[in-house]
Amino acid sequence: MGVSMLNLGAALPEIFMAVSALALLMLGVFAGKDKAFRTVSWLAVAAQIITVILVVTGEGGPAFFGQFTADAFAQFCKVMILIGSSVGIIMSMKFAERENMARFEFPILITLATVGMMAMVSASDMMSLYLGLELQSLALYVVAAIRRDTIRSTESGLKYFILGSIASGMLLYGMSMVYGFTGTTNFAVLADTLTGGDLPVGAMVGLAFMFAGLCFKISAVPFHMWTPDVYEGAPTPVTAFFAVAPKIAGLALFVRVAIGPFGSVVADWQQIIVLISILSMLVGSFAALRQENIKRLMAYSSIGHVGFALVGLAAGTEEGVTGVLVYLGIYLVMNLGTFAVILCMRRNDRMNEEITDLAGLAKTKPLMAAITAILMFSMAGIPPLAGFFGKFYVFKAAVDAGLVTLAVIGLVTSVVSAYYYLRIIKVMYFDEPVEGFDRNGTEMNVIMAVATIAILAFVFFPNPLMDSAAIAAASLFGQ
Amino acid sequence: MVVQALAFYLFATIAVLSATAVVTVRNPVHSVLLLILTFFNAAGLFVLLGAEFLAMLLVVVYVGAVAVLFLFVVMMLDINFVEMRQGFLNYLPIGVLIAVVLFVELAFVGAGWTLTDEAVAVLAQPTPAGVGNVEALGRLIYTDYAYIFQSAGLVLLVAMIGAIVLTLRHREGVRRQKISEQVKRTRADTLEIKKVPVGRGI
């Protein structure tokens, strides 16, 4: 299959998603006055499930004259993204109706953001990369501010928008530098151009700017300042969605850019990634220690997780990329489970967001407390839970690539971060109970149960995730 | 060739003269009209260069939309342009300085431009031979970069949805026209004929 082909079939999942978003928009508009919120939401979930099937059974290959590739790497990431956003929509339905944000545009914006993320992970040209990223970001800015009558939500949307635009500017500047000094925006041609191994200085500067822009999107330190505020201010199901799908898409994009076009100049960018990774792990573990709000805590925790995932990328090897993908898969499951728990922290129909609100959960809701404990142990990376293996593979890849110091710092920060995960367990099991939470919704129970089972079962059945991650990583290196 | 050269000098002279006049005439309405004349002449220069698409774009976008908008603004607003032009001589030195700095910067960019040999090999072609540049651009936008064109369309759609989601409020008590109801009205709904006895009223 040549690069000089339109090959629409490879982009079928994206085309299907975009068209169904348009159809849902029509449905919502003609139903009028947000009556169709639930219908549109469920139909959006259905569209995403169909898209998963299309992605998995798709023929793949390059499309649109080399601006788009649907390889195994893209397939793997798209499945994770689709799981993240469909669960995100399911989690938000009841919340949206209760909190007066049940607008039919919400699931449509999430769907369009998902199209953008899928375009990001499939991008094989700077231009398609940027447009995918903008499609995603623009929809996310709106979704963050969707409760437009509350100050915190608007503030979070505005902050996200302004800082995100600056990051997009840096990314574009970097891209224009790379284009100016190499004469191409296509990843494959760029990789060929740079085979000599020496990067022109201008392209190096461009690369640094691109990485800065991408770091903002995945909230890696030192471009993380927006994360706690946006996570705290946005409505909780939106935060849950932010913490999984865009993170995965951003990291996948990061990996694709680093390994694809710049794969032959690993030495030039490795130190950047190592530094960012160390800083993210440090901030993610130390700054989280003082947090009282559980959404802020999750924000710092996600910064830390990005740091751990970047350890795999810093290795720059196939093993490292496999590690990143496994890490992201496990991160997705853990975070969805944890946010289902956070969304169940509701007392007398009001949301609670303080860690102390969990006090005595073991007495009032023993099963939920046990599930939360398993999720927290997994987040902290305690064997034999899935979270341990995620960290294990990235650290192993780093050690194999000779980055022993990085792996050691990773281990130390991992121990530090265990403190605040374990503190939640301590609050649940050993503090005096406060008034119990309201009844959980069925969908939350299902999500929590599935996440917990997946985390517990990974040690026995690691192969489905491990093998597909290995195939995905191989497709990135086998270009 | 002579015709071309003549046309070039004609367009170029009028363009430069009218551009100078744009910033020197006293009446702002004249200034905008001269601006439109400049655009037309620039479009003529583009045609001479063989860039007929740019020429069309200049006429359609700049003359058709931007300049008319300018004219509209100038005529609607009561701005005293004579007052705004005061102090021109005071600011002249710093203005010239900035212009020189910008010019030198541009000159450096132009002189210092280098490309690696590999980069030259992969540069995009200016125009494929044998097709006009309208067709060449059409091929680029709607065939080669159809994906990017469509994605940009989706980005704009998201921007539109976002603006509506964040700002549209349905106000209560606003009377809207409902055409179906208007059409459905019959004479029986609205008219009532009463017999009025002579000299008594209702």
Side-chain angles (χ1 to χ4, degrees):
Chain A
M1 217 171 289
V3 171
S4 60
M5 272 180 70
L6 192 57
N7 193 17
L8 276 175
L12 186 63
E14 282 79 4
I15 296 173
F16 175 77
M17 277 280 272
V19 171
S20 47
L22 299 182
L24 289 177
L25 192 61
M26 286 298 114
L27 176 69
V29 169
F30 283 108
K33 286 246 174 188
D34 303 321
K35 266 178 256 167
F37 174 70
R38 225 154 228 271
T39 325
V40 173
S41 297
W42 279 116
L43 284 176
V45 173
Q48 305 204 347
I49 292 168
I50 296 173
T51 313
V52 170
I53 297 168
L54 290 177
V55 167
V56 175
T57 58
E59 53 190 294
F64 292 111
F65 309 100
Q67 295 154 32
F68 182 95
T69 17
D71 51 6
F73 177 80
Q75 268 181 339
F76 184 84
C77 298
K78 281 180 198 171
V79 171
M80 287 199 290
I81 291 165
L82 286 164
I83 293 173
S85 49
S86 49
V87 174
I89 295 178
I90 294 173
M91 287 205 285
S92 64
M93 276 187 244
K94 278 192 183 158
F95 181 93
E97 281 166 356
R98 273 199 314 268
E99 308 281 326
N100 199 17
M101 53 170 252
R103 320 196 53 191
F104 75 87
E105 289 97 340
F106 177 71
I108 292 167
L109 282 169
I110 300 251
T111 311
L112 284 168
T114 314
V115 176
M117 291 175 217
M118 290 164 69
M120 276 159 71
V121 294
S122 270
S124 54
D125 191 291
M126 303 273 190
M127 289 185 280
S128 39
L129 180 165
Y130 178 70
L131 280 165
L133 194 70
E134 270 317 276
L135 182 57
Q136 179 229 218
S137 314
L138 211 56
L140 295 187
Y141 304 146
V142 179
V143 166
I146 194 127
R147 286 177 75 184
R148 58 184 187 186
D149 294 320
T150 58
I151 289 181
R152 285 208 313 174
S153 175
T154 356
E155 182 200 335
S156 113
L158 199 61
K159 260 185 193 163
Y160 197 16
F161 172 63
I162 292 170
L163 294 173
S165 316
I166 294 172
S168 291
M170 286 203 282
L171 189 73
L172 272 182
Y173 183 62
M175 284 178 190
S176 66
M177 292 287 274
V178 171
Y179 176 58
F181 279 84
T182 58
T184 180
T185 56
N186 190 290
F187 287 179
V189 186
L190 204 54
D192 287 342
T193 315
L194 299 173
T195 331
D198 57 327
L199 200 57
V201 179
M204 181 74 215
V205 174
L207 180 69
F209 270 99
M210 278 181 72
F211 275 18
L214 290 174
C215 280
F216 176 89
K217 300 290 176 188
I218 57 170
S219 72
V221 181
F223 306 99
H224 67 288
M225 275 76 164
W226 58 277
T227 321
D229 291 346
V230 171
Y231 276 33
E232 190 188 355
T236 314
V238 173
T239 313
F241 173 67
F242 278 6
V244 287
K247 276 269 158 83
I248 292 172
L251 266 165
L253 181 66
F254 210 142
V255 171
R256 189 185 276 289
V257 171
I259 302 292
F262 299 106
S264 54
V265 289
V266 175
D268 282 317
W269 53 258
Q270 196 174 35
Q271 47 193 332
I272 305 180
I273 304 286
V274 168
L275 183 71
I276 290 169
S277 166
I278 291 175
L279 287 176
S280 303
M281 290 189 292
L282 287 175
V283 170
S285 47
F286 282 99
L289 293 177
R290 291 190 300 122
Q291 302 305 322
E292 288 303 325
N293 182 300
I294 196 153
K295 278 159 85 182
R296 283 187 91 83
L297 180 81
M298 289 306 288
Y300 282 106
S301 146
S302 84
I303 293 170
H305 282 302
V306 164
F308 291 123
L310 284 176
V311 171
L313 177 59
T317 56
E318 194 175 321
E319 193 194 355
V321 173
T322 314
V324 175
L325 292 176
V326 172
Y327 197 95
L328 288 179
I330 293 168
Y331 171 81
L332 167 76
V333 175
M334 291 189 305
N335 258 37
L336 287 177
T338 312
F339 272 100
V341 170
I342 296 176
L343 278 164
C344 287
M345 290 169 61
R346 219 155 43 80
R347 195 171 282 137
N348 304 326
D349 256 349
R350 290 206 48 224
M351 291 299 299
N352 291 285
E353 292 176 0
E354 301 301 307
I355 292 171
T356 44
D357 287 317
L358 282 166
L361 190 66
K363 301 233 171 49
T364 52
K365 279 194 178 178
L367 192 60
M368 189 171 143
I371 284 177
T372 316
I374 291 171
L375 287 165
M376 288 301 133
F377 276 128
S378 176
M379 287 260 197
I382 289 167
L385 298 169
F388 165 74
F389 292 98
K391 282 181 183 154
F392 174 73
Y393 288 119
V394 287
F395 290 153
K396 185 164 167 291
V399 172
D400 287 349
L403 300 166
V404 182
T405 330
L406 180 64
V408 170
I409 294 176
L411 281 176
V412 172
T413 51
S414 175
V415 172
V416 174
S417 69
Y419 167 79
Y420 56 79
Y421 295 125
L422 296 181
R423 192 177 132 223
I424 293 179
I425 299 175
K426 178 236 160 203
V427 169
M428 286 193 306
Y429 278 87
F430 300 110
D431 285 7
E432 277 309 303
V434 283
E435 200 186 338
F437 290 129
D438 295 354
R439 242 175 65 85
N440 299 353
T442 324
E443 76 280 14
M444 297 299 169
N445 284 337
V446 172
I447 294 166
M448 281 191 265
V450 171
T452 316
I453 291 167
I455 287 169
L456 289 173
F458 181 77
V459 63
F460 303 112
F461 307 103
N463 286 343
L465 184 63
M466 291 298 300
D467 291 349
S468 41
I471 294 169
S475 82
L476 204 55
F477 281 86
Q479 276 178 355
Chain B
M1 285 316 281
V2 181
V3 181
Q4 258 191 0
L6 279 178
F8 169 76
Y9 284 116
L10 179 73
F11 286 137
T13 320
I14 300 180
V16 171
L17 287 180
S18 54
T20 323
V22 169
V23 290
T24 48
V25 291
R26 288 197 171 272
N27 189 330
V29 176
H30 293 171
S31 176
V32 175
L33 289 173
L34 283 164
L35 188 66
I36 293 175
L37 182 64
T38 318
F39 284 147
F40 268 117
N41 282 289
L45 288 175
F46 275 127
V47 172
L48 286 181
L49 282 173
E52 66 267 18
F53 182 73
L54 271 181
M56 286 195 290
L57 213 61
L58 206 64
V59 173
V60 172
V61 176
Y62 280 87
V63 177
V66 176
V68 172
L69 204 68
F70 271 160
L71 199 60
F72 197 63
V73 171
V74 165
M75 284 156 73
M76 293 288 282
L77 295 180
D78 183 24
I79 302 173
N80 192 344
F81 284 90
V82 181
E83 214 169 80
M84 277 173 69
R85 213 169 284 153
Q86 278 172 354
F88 175 73
L89 278 179
N90 292 351
Y91 297 119
L92 190 64
I94 188 139
V96 168
L97 187 71
I98 290 174
V100 168
V101 168
L102 281 178
F103 181 77
V104 170
E105 275 180 356
L106 274 176
F108 273 127
V109 168
W113 189 258
T114 48
L115 274 179
T116 53
D117 295 340
E118 296 92 337
V120 176
V122 295
L123 266 184
Q125 298 295 316
T127 339
V131 291
N133 56 46
V134 179
E135 196 187 334
L137 270 170
R139 275 190 201 167
L140 278 180
I141 298 177
Y142 301 111
T143 307
D144 292 0
Y145 293 108
Y147 173 65
I148 286 164
F149 185 70
Q150 291 293 328
S151 316
L154 276 183
V155 172
L156 291 178
L157 176 73
V158 168
M160 196 171 81
I161 299 175
I164 293 173
V165 168
L166 295 181
T167 57
L168 181 71
R169 286 174 200 278
H170 290 284
R171 273 182 295 174
E172 298 298 320
V174 178
R175 296 172 74 102
R176 290 199 162 76
Q177 185 182 25
K178 287 182 184 146
I179 295 173
S180 58
E181 279 181 22
Q182 288 178 347
V183 174
K184 265 191 289 179
R185 263 156 71 114
T186 58
R187 198 176 134 152
D189 297 337
T190 49
L191 273 184
E192 194 182 349
I193 296 180
K194 289 209 169 176
K195 282 268 180 211
V196 184
V198 179
R200 271 205 255 156
I202 301 171

